[in-house]
Structure formats: C-alpha cells, structure tokens
Amino acid sequence: IRKVSAKRAAHRASKLGQSGMEYMGIAATLPCAACGATHRHRELHHCKDKPLHGEDGPYQKSPHKHVRTGDLDTIPLCKFYCHAGGPQSYHKDRDGWNDRHGPDYGYILPTRALVAARLAEIDF
C-alpha cells in the first residue's frame, strides 16, 4: 500500500477533502467523458492541459508542473482506451488524444454538472 503524506492525510480529513472524495466517488461511476463507454472499467483523470493564453480554464486548482489539480478537476476516462493503457490513450499519445477529443479540461464542467445531478438525486 502506498504511504500517504501527512499533508495529504490532513487534507482528506478536512471538510474540503471529504467533499472532494465524495465528488470523486460519484465521478468514478459516470461514463467515460471522452468516448461515453459505460461497460469498460473507468479511472479518474486529474486534468493536465493548460488553457490557451488569455483563456480562463474551469480549474479549481490550476495545473502546474509536478502539482496535481484539484479534486473537482477530475474526469472519468475508460482505463485502457482513453486514459493510460492503449496506444491512443491520453498518457500514451497526449497530442493525438487532444486532436481527437480536445483538451481534457473541456470535460470538467460537464462532469461537474453530472455529479451535481447525481447529488440532487440522493435523499439525505
């Protein structure tokens, strides 16, 4: 099991961290944001593409080198075809993936809307 830093453990225990974990738990149940597949195993992808100069991105926490984006900046991608496994997946062919699907941050707002709709369905 991978060791969790004290900083990350404190974040996960905080109210913000708990809401982020809830968000990601629901986002992981959604169809793949890129291809729409529901029958394949999905993983959450922390978006990494930077908006064009002068363009506002939808990020909660902007992407920087060696810094992960925020919990609300995750999107579900099918594990093999779109995320990390296949030859045309985001992590194997980022430029080709962006040519086919557009920048990954373009899927943040639709994912947030779907999660919000799911949260509205839950009767607390």
Side-chain angles (χ1 to χ4, degrees):
I1 298 176
R2 201 165 117 188
K3 189 173 179 175
V4 176
S5 70
K7 184 178 177 181
R8 184 165 298 277
H11 171 71
R12 287 181 180 170
S14 72
K15 197 172 203 172
L16 180 64
Q18 290 294 311
S19 67
M21 296 294 281
E22 180 183 21
Y23 175 88
M24 291 191 303
I26 294 170
T29 67
L30 298 174
C32 175
C35 71
T38 58
H39 61 284
R40 298 184 193 126
H41 178 71
R42 289 169 305 283
E43 295 179 329
L44 289 178
H45 167 71
H46 281 81
C47 294
K48 294 169 179 40
D49 293 335
K50 293 182 180 176
L52 299 173
H53 183 68
E55 178 184 11
D56 289 333
Y59 288 105
Q60 171 193 31
K61 183 175 158 187
S62 291
H64 299 288
K65 192 172 186 174
H66 306 297
V67 175
R68 180 177 275 183
T69 55
D71 294 339
L72 298 181
D73 302 326
T74 57
I75 60 172
L77 294 177
C78 57
K79 183 177 181 175
F80 183 78
Y81 294 99
C82 294
H83 191 224
Q88 295 182 336
S89 64
Y90 183 88
H91 290 289
K92 298 275 174 103
D93 182 19
R94 186 174 180 171
D95 291 335
W97 194 93
N98 283 337
D99 288 344
R100 287 185 301 281
H101 302 288
D104 60 357
Y105 63 82
Y107 297 98
I108 293 174
L109 295 179
T111 299
R112 287 182 190 167
L114 290 170
V115 170
R118 292 264 175 104
L119 284 171
E121 294 172 3
I122 299 172
D123 185 16
F124 293 98

